[in-house]
């Protein structure tokens, strides 16, 4: 299950903006199961299953791939590498060839944020995406981790990719809720 450049969010945005502006809730039937999207003002919200990581040893290939050893490492579908600071996340010396060797789908890196609760980045070189700009599925693991660290259920997060994005996150137990803004990238007409 991969939600990079979230196709579900994009579809909800197009439906609510161009097809039926009165819609507030949409249910998508996907290969991954049912995904719910809702719209409230400028925010679109998606609900995903929670995917808590289990503590694990740090493989040497991960250190080579990130250019630095994390202070903690967890594994669910992806590795979740925890660092001390936002600067650590920004200044990683990445080697995508090394990250491709890992036995996980992708690598999430995270740290406590300066102006938000936490920051993150997400790398998926195995899928041909060195760094995903804003990644819904990464928050399936990020939210349960930060719930335990910060002892709360609601967070504001910033994904520190070049494009970046602010996400409003809620831990719902078995699920996580992720809300963010969507913008139109391109509009056009095709004459047939």
């Amino acid at each position: 299950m991969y939600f990079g450049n979230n196709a579900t969010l994009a579809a909800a945005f197009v439906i609510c903006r161009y097809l039926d502006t009165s819609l507030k809730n949409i249910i998508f039937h996907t290969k991954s199961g049912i995904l719910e999207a809702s719209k409230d003002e400028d925010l679109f919200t998606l609900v995903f299953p929670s995917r808590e990581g289990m503590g694990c040893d740090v493989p040497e290939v991960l250190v080579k791939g990130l250019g630095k050893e994390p202070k903690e490492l967890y594994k669910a579908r992806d590795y979740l590498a925890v660092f001390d600071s936002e600067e650590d996340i920004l200044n990683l010396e990445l080697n995508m060839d090394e990250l491709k060797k890992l036995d996980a789908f992708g690598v999430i890196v995270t740290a406590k944020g300066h102006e938000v609760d936490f920051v993150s980045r997400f790398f998926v070189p195995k899928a041909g995406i060195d760094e995903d700009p804003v990644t819904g599925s990464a928050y399936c693991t990020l939210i349960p981790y930060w719930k335990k660290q910060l002892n709360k259920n609601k967070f504001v997060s910033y994904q520190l990719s070049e494009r970046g994005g602010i996400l409003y996150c809620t831990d719902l137990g078995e699920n996580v809720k992720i809300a963010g803004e969507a913008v139109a990238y391109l509009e056009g007409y095709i004459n047939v």
Side-chain angles (χ1 to χ4, degrees):
M1 178 163 46
Y2 176 63
F3 304 102
N5 294 324
N6 203 292
T8 307
L9 180 66
F13 175 77
V14 169
I15 290 168
C16 290
R17 182 167 178 178
Y18 299 103
L19 300 179
D20 187 345
T21 57
S22 68
L23 276 179
K24 298 292 181 205
N25 297 299
I26 303 169
I27 295 176
F28 294 95
H29 297 271
T30 73
K31 289 182 181 180
S32 303
I34 293 176
L35 291 177
E36 298 174 44
S38 60
K39 181 182 183 298
D40 183 19
E41 300 293 326
D42 292 333
L43 290 180
F44 284 84
T45 301
L46 300 174
V47 176
F48 295 110
S50 183
R51 190 170 40 228
E52 188 171 352
M54 303 296 292
C56 61
D57 293 331
V58 178
E60 185 60 32
V61 69
L62 180 84
V63 177
K64 288 179 182 177
L66 297 176
K68 182 174 181 153
E69 185 166 349
K71 70 176 187 175
E72 299 172 54
L73 186 67
Y74 299 86
K75 187 176 180 192
R77 179 198 68 176
D78 309 303
Y79 278 111
L80 173 64
V82 181
F83 289 91
D84 288 317
S85 72
E86 193 169 312
E87 290 74 26
D88 287 338
I89 303 298
L90 286 168
N91 297 318
L92 293 171
E93 296 180 17
L94 300 165
N95 181 327
M96 293 302 161
D97 290 331
E98 291 296 325
L99 292 180
K100 284 180 186 175
K101 298 175 186 176
L102 288 167
D103 63 338
F105 181 72
V107 178
I108 308 161
V109 295
T110 191
K112 197 163 183 182
H114 294 308
E115 297 179 16
V116 294
D117 292 305
F118 64 91
V119 296
S120 67
R121 292 173 74 185
F122 187 56
F123 311 107
V124 202
K126 279 185 176 180
I129 302 167
D130 287 348
E131 182 168 5
D132 192 54
V134 183
T135 316
S137 65
Y139 289 83
C140 297
T141 304
L142 283 162
I143 293 170
Y145 172 80
W146 285 108
K147 176 185 178 176
K148 287 184 177 179
Q149 300 305 308
L150 301 176
N151 197 29
K152 61 183 194 175
N153 289 336
K154 292 187 176 193
F155 316 92
V156 178
S157 172
Y158 187 70
Q159 194 154 332
L160 292 170
S161 65
E162 186 175 325
R163 189 178 83 199
I166 294 175
L167 294 170
Y168 304 92
C169 310
T170 306
D171 186 276
L172 303 172
E174 291 184 15
N175 293 303
V176 296
K177 184 167 72 170
I178 307 155
E181 292 184 10
V183 295
Y185 169 73
L186 178 68
E187 291 184 35
Y189 298 92
I190 298 174
N191 293 320
V192 181

